[in-house]
Amino acid sequence: MKVLILGADGYLGWPTCLYFSQRGHEVIAVDNYFHRNAATEHDCESLIPTPDLVQRAEIWEELTGKKIEVHIGDVTNYDLLLSIFKKHKPDTVVHYAEQPSAPYSMIGQKEAAFTLQNNLITTLNIAYAVKEGNPDCHIIKLGTMGEYGTPNIDIEEGWLEIEHKGRKDKFLFPRQAGSLYHTTKIQDTDLLWFYTRMWDLRVTDLMQGPVYGLSTDETDLDKRLMPYFHYDEIFGTVLNRFIVQAVAGYPLTVFGKGNQTRGFLNLKDTMQCVYLSATQPADLGQLRVFNQLTESFSVNQLAEKVKKIGDRLGYNVKINQIKNPRVEKEDHYYNVHYTGLMELGLKPHYLTDEILENFFTITGQYKNRINKDAFFRGISWK
Ligand code: USQ
């Protein structure tokens, strides 16, 4: 398979490049270094020293003899994207080329405008590049569980059959986002659904929950191959932040009551989900939606788990409930259906004590690089 990975330098993008390359597929990697530049601008660099994408591809080739072709460029530039599509004719495109942070999208007008423009134009360009460059190409888009919000009914896998005044039809599950970033993910699902109906695209939309971890079989080969790992308030996800906070001796930042519940998954399982979707693609004219999570936890449950293992390792972990800077329900119903990826063959790595211990061990090696000022800046939703 030829796989085009857009947003290849990011936390998920780079391990995905390695995962496909290791399994013998031809990988073309594209990134514009948005998140590196934003991390420098906001003083929240990766915990782990991370060579740039070109250097990492060279390191990978030295170690394995496998080549990843890198293009540094912006997917909002349609001519660039189309030329890549025409040159490589990918079988699959994996779309990570979005501004991925809810807090970033809520900083102010400039960041909101960037998020809206970047996330919608990249998605639009991909739909056009597939149509004009290789109409058979399977689009795998990273969506988010946050598109559904926290409704007071079960969350189905993408679609909902509705009976209204004696008639039935099937619709995308109702969505109500909790940040501008999540709103753009709803909008890009809508864009792809529109063009799937118009042009018979084949699309898989992976509605992913917050990811944790910094280790895959491929990134473990060499420290220089590890993912760009955020623990800061802007780009870090909650469990990744809690582990680094515990290592730094900083009280865990539980927002509000901490009963907010989300569906989580290990970084290794993101790799599996994307790979299983690519090797068993959607049909032409199908928007296939999978809910991408392996288990649900409240923020409090995560904090307790981190404290238990951290204390056992001698970190004396404190938990601090702070005023929630976000606007979100702190007590809510949460029951998600997610059987589709299991049916494709997903074998989950659940959040065991052993996985947490291993996470502490790796993170502890970078303790002297932790910037405590990045943990909390109070980016407010109001
Ligand atoms: N939270 C805390 N303390 C923190 C950080 C977060 O209590 O220090 C809480 C938040 O208030 C929220 C929950 O933890 O209730 C999850 O927050 P998060 O920062 O881990 O995740 P979120 O902002 O929702 O976004 C992340 C990724 C995004 C992805 C999304 C999946 O950055 O790209 O789409 O997870 S989901 O949350 O299911 O929408």
Side-chain angles (χ1 to χ4, degrees), residues 194-323:
F194 171 68
Y195 285 119
T196 298
R197 299 196 308 273
M198 296 302 111
W199 300 337
D200 278 343
L201 301 180
R202 61 170 93 231
V203 180
T204 299
D205 198 351
L206 297 174
M207 310 292 268
Q208 182 170 248
V211 182
Y212 59 83
L214 40 60
S215 160
T216 69
D217 291 347
E218 294 76 34
T219 63
D220 286 350
L221 287 177
D222 189 300
K223 282 185 173 169
R224 297 167 300 167
L225 296 177
M226 288 175 80
Y228 200 98
F229 182 82
H230 284 286
Y231 58 91
D232 58 274
E233 179 179 338
I234 300 177
F235 292 108
T237 49
V238 61
L239 182 54
N240 289 351
R241 283 166 54 67
F242 283 178
I243 297 278
V244 181
Q245 290 171 349
V247 166
Y250 189 98
L252 309 189
T253 54
V254 170
F255 292 168
K257 290 186 195 167
N259 294 327
Q260 305 90 301
T261 303
R262 301 286 183 269
F264 291 84
L265 77 165
N266 191 306
L267 178 61
K268 290 180 176 171
D269 292 342
T270 296
M271 302 302 108
Q272 283 192 70
C273 292
V274 173
Y275 191 77
L276 289 166
S277 301
T279 48
Q280 299 165 79
D283 296 330
L284 284 171
Q286 183 190 15
L287 170 67
R288 182 175 63 163
V289 184
F290 292 128
N291 292 343
Q292 187 161 310
L293 60 146
T294 60
E295 48 196 336
S296 296
F297 299 108
S298 70
V299 171
N300 284 331
Q301 286 172 325
L302 290 179
E304 288 302 333
K305 278 177 179 286
V306 170
K307 179 171 170 48
K308 182 179 120 188
I309 303 301
D311 285 351
R312 194 190 287 167
L313 297 172
Y315 283 109
N316 186 21
V317 180
K318 300 264 183 301
I319 297 175
N320 192 11
Q321 280 195 335
I322 55 182
K323 187 171 178 294

Side-chain angles (χ1 to χ4, degrees), residues 110-129:
K110 178 178 141 236
E111 292 78 8
F114 174 81
T115 304
L116 198 60
Q117 187 162 334
N118 181 78
N119 293 3
L120 297 192
I121 298 299
T122 53
T123 306
L124 177 78
N125 285 354
I126 291 165
Y128 264 93

